[in-house]
């Protein structure tokens, strides 16, 4: 039975045009393309700031080597070159720190990206301090210029220098490759440097007791040895920053040792 108030007629179904779906698809494609472009820019910025930090590390590695060479060979000219690098190192630290600040403010990184930026900001402070210690060593060269100590007094310091430079190089390599195992090895090697420093301290003290004429030389060498030992401590900090960057834990090596 039909209702007299309703009007019955056949229904006609029509298909909606496809242009709306196509338009939505194109819009989504543009958004994805834009996001991909931003992601590429962000990755490039992260890579740039890491490379700038590694470049700074390379300059400081060369500075330490030249500082010790100037001391061991009595080359005051080379010592002057070491001191002249200080302004460049300070400028690099400021520039990299500004890059890190800009990335955090502009990109608001999270997770591993944020840890990378934070680790780099911490590392450049350690690198700058290593550069200061290299500068201190170079200044000692001027104080013993023309009065080189006997070779036997230099042997232990040369060995400590070689180990310290190798530790710094391995630390920077671990940063470049994100090698947690190498970072752990760098961290553990600090004990070797501490032992070498203690042994050298006793050796130089013995030379001073045997012959008072050695006191001046040995005092300068002791200060340089202490600077090398402190460099080892800062490289250990660098290794811990690598651990944080990769795992989110600064105490990786310490916990494994427990």
């Amino acid at each position: 039975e039909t209702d007299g108030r309703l009007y019955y007629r056949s229904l006609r179904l029509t298909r909606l045009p496809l242009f709306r779906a196509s338009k939505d698809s194109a819009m989504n494609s543009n958004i994805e393309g834009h996001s991909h472009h931003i992601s590429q820019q962000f990755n490039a910025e992260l890579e740039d700031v890491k490379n700038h930090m590694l470049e700074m590390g390379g300059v400081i590695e060369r500075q330490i080597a030249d500082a010790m060479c100037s001391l061991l060979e009595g080359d005051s000219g080379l010592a002057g070159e070491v001191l002249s690098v200080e302004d460049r190192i300070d400028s690099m630290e400021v520039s990299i720190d500004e890059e890190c600040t800009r990335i955090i403010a502009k990109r608001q990184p999270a997770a591993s990206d944020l840890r990378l930026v934070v680790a780099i900001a911490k590392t450049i402070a350690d690198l700058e301090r290593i550069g200061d210690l290299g500068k201190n060593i170079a200044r000692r060269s001027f104080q013993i210029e023309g009065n080189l100590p006997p070779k036997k007094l230099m042997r232990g310091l040369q060995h400590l220098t070689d180990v310290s430079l190798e530790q710094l190089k391995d630390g920077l390599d671990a940063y470049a490759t994100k090698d947690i195992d190498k970072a752990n090895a760098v961290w553990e090697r600090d004990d070797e440097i501490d032992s070498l420093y203690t042994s050298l301290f006793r050796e130089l003290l013995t030379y001073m007791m045997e012959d008072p004429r050695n006191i001046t030389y040995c005092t300068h060498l002791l200060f340089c040895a202490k600077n090398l030992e402190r460099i080892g401590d800062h490289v250990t900090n660098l290794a811990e920053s690598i651990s944080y960057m990769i795992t989110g834990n600064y105490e990786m090596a310490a916990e494994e040792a427990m």
Side-chain angles (χ1 to χ4, degrees), residues 7 17 36 56-57 61 66 74 101 131 134 155 176 200 202 252 255:
Y7 175 69
H36 179 67
M56 179 182 176
E61 184 181 355
D66 288 345
T101 302
R155 285 194 292 267
L200 180 58
R202 292 172 178 168
M252 174 270 300
E255 289 186 354

Side-chain angles (χ1 to χ4, degrees), residues 60 124-134 136 230-231 234:
I60 290 171
I124 59 173
D126 282 307
L127 289 176
E128 191 275 335
R129 185 62 187 129
I130 291 173
D132 287 343
L133 294 168
N136 293 342
R230 289 293 297 134
I231 287 172
H234 286 288

Side-chain angles (χ1 to χ4, degrees), residues 145-159:
E145 182 180 7
N147 296 289
L148 285 178
K151 291 293 184 182
K152 68 177 182 178
L153 302 183
M154 296 289 204
R155 285 194 292 267
L157 188 62
Q158 179 65 68
H159 182 48

Side-chain angles (χ1 to χ4, degrees), residues 12-258:
R12 181 180 178 184
L13 300 178
T14 59
R15 299 185 62 183
L16 293 173
L18 297 178
F19 77 92
R20 181 181 298 274
S22 299
K23 184 177 181 180
D24 291 343
S25 177
M27 184 179 296
N28 290 335
S29 178
N30 289 336
I31 292 174
E32 291 176 359
H34 182 63
S35 298
H36 179 67
H37 179 64
I38 292 176
S39 178
Q40 284 184 321
Q41 287 182 329
F42 181 34
N43 290 336
E45 289 172 5
L46 291 176
E47 191 67 20
D48 284 345
V49 73
K50 186 183 80 169
N51 288 337
H52 293 159
M53 182 272 294
L54 292 173
E55 180 185 0
M56 179 182 176
V59 171
I60 290 171
E61 184 181 355
R62 181 72 262 164
Q63 182 197 34
I64 301 301
D66 288 345
M68 289 308 304
C69 183
S70 70
L71 177 75
L72 297 173
E73 298 181 8
D75 190 339
S76 58
L78 184 57
E81 292 179 13
V82 171
L83 296 179
S84 68
V85 176
E86 184 65 19
D87 288 342
R88 181 185 176 191
I89 292 174
D90 290 342
S91 178
M92 294 177 81
E93 182 194 15
V94 171
S95 177
I96 296 169
D97 186 65
E98 289 176 348
E99 282 186 82
C100 292
T101 302
R102 185 165 54 251
I103 288 174
I104 292 175
K106 181 180 178 181
R107 302 297 187 184
Q108 298 182 352
S112 61
D113 292 334
L114 178 60
R115 292 200 305 270
L116 171 62
V117 177
V118 171
I120 288 174
K122 185 176 184 298
T123 296
I124 59 173
D126 282 307
L127 289 176
E128 191 275 335
R129 185 62 187 129
I130 291 173
D132 287 343
L133 294 168
K135 178 178 63 178
N136 293 342
I137 293 172
R139 284 175 174 164
R140 294 284 168 180
S141 300
F142 293 109
Q143 298 179 25
I144 63 173
E145 182 180 7
N147 296 289
L148 285 178
K151 291 293 184 182
K152 68 177 182 178
L153 302 183
M154 296 289 204
R155 285 194 292 267
L157 188 62
Q158 179 65 68
H159 182 48
L160 179 59
T161 299
D162 293 340
V163 175
S164 298
L165 285 172
E166 185 176 354
Q167 186 199 33
L168 176 56
K169 179 182 180 301
D170 287 346
L172 293 172
D173 288 345
Y175 231 121
T177 59
K178 296 184 178 180
D179 189 334
I180 190 66
D181 292 331
K182 179 171 281 190
N184 190 37
V186 168
W187 189 92
E188 291 176 343
R189 196 164 194 183
D190 188 56
D191 288 340
E192 178 184 357
I193 291 178
D194 289 344
S195 296
L196 287 173
Y197 169 71
T198 300
S199 175
L200 180 58
F201 180 89
R202 292 172 178 168
E203 179 183 355
L204 293 176
L205 190 62
T206 300
Y207 287 140
M208 286 190 281
M209 294 173 64
E210 289 176 350
D211 188 346
R213 291 174 298 179
N214 291 330
I215 291 177
T216 300
Y217 301 137
C218 290
T219 300
H220 290 306
L221 297 183
L222 279 173
F223 276 112
C224 293
K226 184 59 180 178
N227 285 329
L228 289 172
E229 189 270 336
R230 289 293 297 134
I231 287 172
D233 291 339
H234 286 288
V235 176
T236 298
N237 292 343
L238 188 150
E240 291 175 352
S241 292
I242 297 171
S243 173
Y244 171 74
M245 176 181 67
I246 298 173
T247 69
N249 183 5
Y250 277 113
E251 302 299 329
M252 174 270 300
E255 289 186 354
E256 287 188 358
M258 293 176 61

